[in-house]
Amino acid sequence: MTREFTGWHMLGIMVVAFGTIIGVNLTLAYKAVQTFPGLETRNSYVASQSFDADRAAQNALGWTLETHLTHTELTLSVTDANGTPITPKVVSATLGRATNVAQDMTPAFTIVNGAMHANVDAGAGYWNLRLVLEADDGTIFRRRIQLTAQ
């Protein structure tokens, strides 16, 4: 006995197919909104007005940063243009994932042998260190450093 393929069968196939597509899209949109880390700046136009001057001031410092991240420790070494280790004031530091803020942490740096060390709980994978330092002359130094926990 063969069954005839009717319009109701086609309607059922279309409802299931498009229902699946719409369901997956809604799920992905929900997950994207839930894990959005937020804005980098409130007003990008205002921030852009001083970008070149800020970058020139940072480059004039001649600082070089070296970072190392393990699962338990973050190490940051800053040297000046002469290669001398320095310890600038840490205005803010955030270690977190690039895609969400759920695992963001604020490292508490201590100075050991001219380098800054912080105990962290970093799982495997990619991390971002968003760093704001201040030089002795008041120049603000900003960097976002991509790290991999080893």
Side-chain angles (χ1 to χ4, degrees):
M1 176 175 163
T2 61
R3 295 183 67 186
E4 183 177 328
F5 186 78
T6 65
W8 288 109
H9 293 115
M10 187 63 199
L11 177 64
I13 290 170
M14 296 299 287
V15 167
V16 169
F18 282 106
T20 301
I21 291 168
I22 291 169
V24 168
N25 283 338
L26 289 174
T27 301
L28 291 175
Y30 174 78
K31 292 289 188 183
V33 169
Q34 290 300 105
T35 61
F36 182 66
L39 299 175
E40 289 287 325
T41 182
R42 284 195 176 279
N43 188 330
S44 59
Y45 176 75
V46 172
S48 72
Q49 298 305 297
S50 63
F51 179 82
D52 288 332
D54 293 345
R55 182 181 56 189
Q58 291 179 57
N59 290 341
L61 291 172
W63 289 359
T64 302
L65 278 66
E66 290 186 29
T67 55
H68 183 70
L69 177 65
T70 66
H71 295 288
T72 59
E73 185 177 36
L74 171 64
T75 304
L76 172 66
S77 300
V78 183
T79 55
D80 64 12
N82 299 324
T84 306
I86 58 172
T87 53
K89 176 184 175 188
V90 177
V91 176
S92 69
T94 304
L95 180 66
R97 300 286 189 178
T99 56
N100 65 49
V101 295
Q103 295 178 332
D104 279 8
M105 60 190 91
T106 303
F109 288 107
T110 57
I111 310 302
V112 178
N113 297 328
M116 295 184 270
H117 297 271
N119 293 326
V120 295
D121 182 19
Y126 297 110
W127 292 84
N128 280 337
L129 176 61
R130 293 181 296 278
L131 195 60
V132 179
L133 304 174
E134 185 177 337
D136 291 337
D137 65 0
T139 301
I140 299 296
F141 184 87
R142 290 182 175 86
R143 286 292 185 271
R144 181 173 23 186
I145 304 162
Q146 297 177 345
L147 303 167
T148 302
Q150 299 178 6

